[in-house]
Amino acid sequence: MEDCYSQQKFIVTTYDVLVMTILSLQTFAGMWINAFMVSVLCIAWVRKKSSNSSEKILLFLGWTRFWYLCISWIHLFLIITYICHFYVHPLPQIISTTKSFFSFSSQWVSAFLSVFYCIKIANFQHSFFIYLKVKIDKIVPWVLLGSVLLSLIMVIILYKAIDEAVCDNINCTTTGSFWKLNINFHQHFFPVFFLNGFTYAIAFTAVISSALLLLFSLWRHKHKMQMKSLKNVSMDAHIKAIKSILSFFFLYSINFTCSVLRLIYSMKKENPVTFLIVIFQDVFPTVHSLILIFSNPNLKKTLLRTLSCVKCKICMRQEMS
């Protein structure tokens, strides 16, 4: 055990400190934003004693992202500073699978949010689409429950794969990249990569399909308004909606690309490319939640009022000092 502790003195490098600092600031900002969204929606739910479908989705999404960011930070902190303590059965399995559970859940729910907006806003005359538009509010709770159950099944498979790899190959004197251990990569981690890739691909396909359908519907409606020479206010609203959808399309495309690249470069340690990929991918829950807040009038109003109060308190303290 003493050998283990002596080796850990050489683990924390300048690169590790840089990674820890940047990702900590990024993670805490994301946790605050998602915690703010969850708290505001919960308070509104208690006051009104009811909540609409979009608020339920946003509440669940903010909750899963908050815990994903929290556990990701704990995971990173333990790997960088207490690697010997981290690789003690069953800590790696529990932390990795718990992190994956919240990651899978947030991906499924964020993809469903795009589908939900598409069904609510788009205007198609197909009978199945009309059926979904009528029944979507009743479907939402079942979809949220289904995302939890599906994520739970997936992490059970991941737990088994990680448990086999860790139990067979990890000991206290292990240092360096986790992937440099004497592990049969294809045997142990194929399920991990397959499930991650499957989740990314399905969620990305759902988001892109919903965005394209919604863009087509809004473009067609905009074209009809132009033909009928309707008011510019309605036209501006549709143009704004199209721009918002394009921004989501761009954001999800970057996230999907980073997710795929992260799987490819995950075998390498202290790689600047890996570091940049992690930054871009982990900032997605923060940026996307921030966009959702500013897209919701109540959340936006509350956020601006909160920031204004904080600014006033800071100014008052500066004047008193």
Side-chain angles (χ1 to χ4, degrees), residues 135-203:
K135 298 291 185 178
I136 188 63
D137 291 326
K138 294 182 180 180
I139 295 174
V140 168
W142 293 104
V143 172
L144 297 179
L145 178 61
S147 67
V148 172
L149 295 178
L150 181 59
S151 300
L152 188 60
I153 293 172
M154 294 174 72
V155 298
I156 289 173
I157 299 173
L158 292 181
Y159 184 92
K160 183 179 179 182
I162 296 173
D163 184 66
E164 290 177 356
V166 171
C167 290
D168 292 347
N169 298 278
I170 291 186
N171 53 62
C172 185
T173 60
T174 298
T175 59
S177 176
F178 179 73
W179 302 105
K180 291 179 181 178
L181 300 174
N182 184 23
I183 294 176
N184 188 327
F185 176 78
H186 294 286
Q187 176 184 353
H188 290 294
F189 289 100
F190 176 76
V192 177
F193 278 71
F194 176 78
L195 288 177
N196 278 286
F198 174 78
T199 304
Y200 296 149
I202 296 298

Side-chain angles (χ1 to χ4, degrees), residues 37-219:
M37 184 167 65
V38 170
S39 60
V40 172
L41 291 173
C42 286
I43 292 171
W45 195 343
V46 172
R47 288 179 177 176
K48 296 186 299 182
K49 296 182 179 180
S50 64
S51 179
N52 58 44
S53 297
S54 63
E55 290 176 343
K56 291 176 182 176
I57 299 173
L58 292 176
L59 178 61
F60 188 85
L61 183 61
W63 180 75
T64 55
R65 283 179 171 171
F66 173 85
W67 286 110
Y68 167 75
L69 292 169
C70 179
I71 295 172
S72 295
W73 186 87
I74 295 173
H75 189 194
L76 177 69
F77 178 77
L78 290 176
I79 286 180
I80 290 178
T81 57
Y82 297 103
I83 192 168
C84 260
H85 293 83
F86 177 74
Y87 289 118
V88 174
H89 187 277
L91 189 58
Q93 299 92 309
I94 293 174
I95 292 182
S96 297
T97 52
T98 304
K99 174 184 171 183
S100 297
F101 171 77
F102 288 112
S103 175
F104 290 149
S105 298
S106 65
Q107 288 184 58
W108 293 128
V109 176
S110 63
F112 176 67
L113 181 64
S114 300
V115 175
F116 176 82
Y117 284 148
C118 176
I119 295 172
K120 279 288 188 180
I121 300 173
N123 186 18
F124 295 104
Q125 299 303 317
H126 194 277
S127 58
F128 181 69
F129 189 85
I130 295 173
Y131 173 81
L132 289 177
K133 188 180 285 285
V134 173
K135 298 291 185 178
I136 188 63
D137 291 326
K138 294 182 180 180
I139 295 174
V140 168
W142 293 104
V143 172
L144 297 179
L145 178 61
S147 67
V148 172
L149 295 178
L150 181 59
S151 300
L152 188 60
I153 293 172
M154 294 174 72
V155 298
I156 289 173
I157 299 173
L158 292 181
Y159 184 92
K160 183 179 179 182
I162 296 173
D163 184 66
E164 290 177 356
V166 171
C167 290
D168 292 347
N169 298 278
I170 291 186
N171 53 62
C172 185
T173 60
T174 298
T175 59
S177 176
F178 179 73
W179 302 105
K180 291 179 181 178
L181 300 174
N182 184 23
I183 294 176
N184 188 327
F185 176 78
H186 294 286
Q187 176 184 353
H188 290 294
F189 289 100
F190 176 76
V192 177
F193 278 71
F194 176 78
L195 288 177
N196 278 286
F198 174 78
T199 304
Y200 296 149
I202 296 298
F204 181 71
T205 302
V207 170
I208 298 305
S209 301
S210 302
L212 292 176
L213 287 172
L214 191 52
L215 280 173
F216 176 74
S217 177
L218 290 175
W219 175 83

